[in-house]
Amino acid sequence: MYFARTNGTENQEGPTTPEEGLNFFIEYWNDIDWESVFSSIILFFMQLILTLIIFFILKKIGNYAIELVFKRYMKEKQTVPNRLNTLYKLSKNSFHAIIYFFLVYAILELMGVPVGTLVASAGVVGLALSLGAQGFVSDIVNGFMFLLEKQLDVGDVVELSGILGTVEDVNLKTTKVRDFDGTTHFIPNRSITVISNRSRADMRVMLHVRLFPETDLNKVRSVLEQVNREWIPRCEEITIEPTEIAFVPIGAGQIAAQVIMYTKSGTEFAMRNLFYEKYVDALREAGIELPKVNLDIQTP
């Protein structure tokens, strides 16, 4: 609305009365190309519907492919459910995040929103956040590699960052290990550099039964071999039987009867204690005097 001052009065160049304002609105309304507007709206909704159809088709195919791959992997590799579930959820979440991102991107493009500018701005914010979340990202990457490469499973006896215990949980952020004294340790995955897994092979049990130098070694060998013949067939945990009874020097003028056997992972302590007890009882019953005894367990 424009005004011109002439002789102390104001003359309006635009509509000043209600009737003139109404006529102006009617003229503006009639000037709109409604055919073009309706065509644009119809085209937008058709493109939106087509985009949604493509989105749901891709989502369905992607979910089916992920489930098919993991079911086949589970059947062929007989992997641990904990690892499978973690990788399965991670794959699905990543797929959904990507496909929903492209859906939002396509809808904004249809609406004429400058997505490129928004993405550039988000990139700057994302860079700032990534600098402050490097540790978190490192945990995620390391945890994913632990699960993907099967470096450890729930129930494995492992040594992580100087902590020896049983794995109770493995996820993308932390690894939960219970020490043998009952302490539960939550270890960030980024701090794990070396994984010593004691559950991937048979464990070696080395027993040293100390003897006095004047002990009858042939009698000791006979007693220990008799114990082995009696008890090894009863123990399914033993994978490799002792091949011989050896006598080795251990210093301080003493010798020891050395017995080596291999057991299933996780049963080495039980087998060590069992045969320690049987060896000592049998030697004492045979009248053989014993000094202090010492046992060692070592991995192959």
Side-chain angles (χ1 to χ4, degrees):
M1 185 177 298
Y2 299 94
F3 300 91
R5 184 177 297 273
T6 304
N7 298 326
T9 61
E10 294 183 353
N11 296 324
Q12 296 181 354
E13 295 181 354
T16 57
T17 63
E19 292 79 5
E20 291 177 343
L22 181 59
N23 293 333
F24 176 79
F25 177 76
I26 294 175
E27 291 178 1
Y28 176 78
W29 183 269
N30 293 331
D31 288 338
I32 297 176
D33 188 357
W34 291 107
E35 183 178 353
S36 177
V37 171
F38 285 119
S39 299
S40 300
I41 294 174
I42 294 174
L43 180 61
F44 170 78
F45 279 105
M46 290 180 63
Q47 292 174 334
L48 179 61
I49 293 173
L50 180 61
T51 302
L52 292 175
I53 292 175
I54 296 175
F55 165 78
F56 285 112
I57 291 176
L58 292 177
K59 182 180 178 182
K60 190 73 174 180
I61 294 175
N63 289 335
Y64 175 78
I66 292 174
E67 292 178 1
L68 181 64
V69 168
F70 276 92
K71 286 182 181 179
R72 181 176 301 175
Y73 184 81
M74 180 69 175
K75 182 178 180 179
E76 294 178 355
K77 303 297 183 179
Q78 297 296 323
T79 187
V80 179
N82 177 75
R83 180 198 299 120
L84 180 72
N85 291 333
T86 303
L87 292 176
Y88 174 76
K89 292 178 181 178
L90 177 64
S91 300
K92 269 207 164 182
N93 291 337
S94 300
F95 172 72
H96 289 167
I98 293 173
I99 196 170
Y100 275 106
F101 170 79
F102 282 107
L103 174 64
V104 174
Y105 184 94
I107 293 176
L108 292 177
E109 282 286 346
L110 291 176
M111 297 174 62
V113 177
V115 182
T117 304
L118 295 178
V119 171
S121 302
V124 176
V125 176
L127 177 61
L129 292 176
S130 64
L131 293 176
Q134 291 181 358
F136 178 79
V137 174
S138 180
D139 285 337
I140 298 298
V141 173
N142 285 355
F144 180 78
M145 296 307 298
F146 295 161
L147 295 169
L148 184 64
E149 296 179 356
K150 308 179 187 178
Q151 297 180 14
L152 69 169
D153 293 322
V154 174
D156 285 355
V157 178
V158 299
E159 183 175 355
L160 307 175
S161 301
I163 298 173
L164 179 63
T166 303
V167 178
E168 290 197 339
D169 184 40
V170 184
N171 55 59
L172 297 178
K173 184 66 173 61
T174 58
T175 298
K176 181 180 177 182
V177 177
R178 182 176 294 276
D179 207 337
F180 292 112
D181 63 0
T183 304
T184 300
H185 303 271
F186 296 88
I187 307 174
N189 290 334
R190 64 178 179 274
S191 65
I192 301 175
T193 56
V194 177
I195 298 177
S196 302
N197 196 324
R198 301 190 177 186
S199 299
R200 296 300 172 84
D202 294 337
M203 298 296 292
R204 182 174 69 171
V205 178
M206 178 185 293
L207 298 96
H208 282 165
V209 182
R210 293 190 177 188
L211 305 169
F212 290 113
E214 62 274 11
T215 303
D216 186 347
L217 301 184
N218 289 329
K219 186 176 181 180
V220 171
R221 178 180 285 110
S222 176
V223 171
L224 298 186
E225 288 178 346
Q226 177 60 33
V227 172
N228 290 341
R229 285 192 295 269
E230 180 180 355
W231 283 96
I232 287 180
R234 305 183 185 182
C235 301
E236 298 180 353
E237 296 85 352
I238 298 177
T239 56
I240 301 179
E241 301 179 6
T243 56
E244 62 177 349
I245 308 297
F247 297 95
V248 296
I250 55 175
Q254 291 185 342
I255 61 175
Q258 177 177 280
V259 181
I260 299 176
M261 65 183 70
Y262 290 84
T263 68
K264 296 178 181 179
S265 175
T267 64
E268 62 272 13
F269 295 105
M271 292 297 99
R272 179 197 66 174
N273 297 337
L274 174 64
F275 279 86
Y276 165 73
E277 177 184 349
K278 298 304 177 184
Y279 287 156
V280 172
D281 288 344
L283 290 172
R284 286 176 177 172
E285 290 177 2
I288 299 175
E289 185 179 357
L290 301 175
K292 293 182 179 181
V293 295
N294 183 46
L295 303 176
D296 286 326
I297 294 184
Q298 299 178 5
T299 56

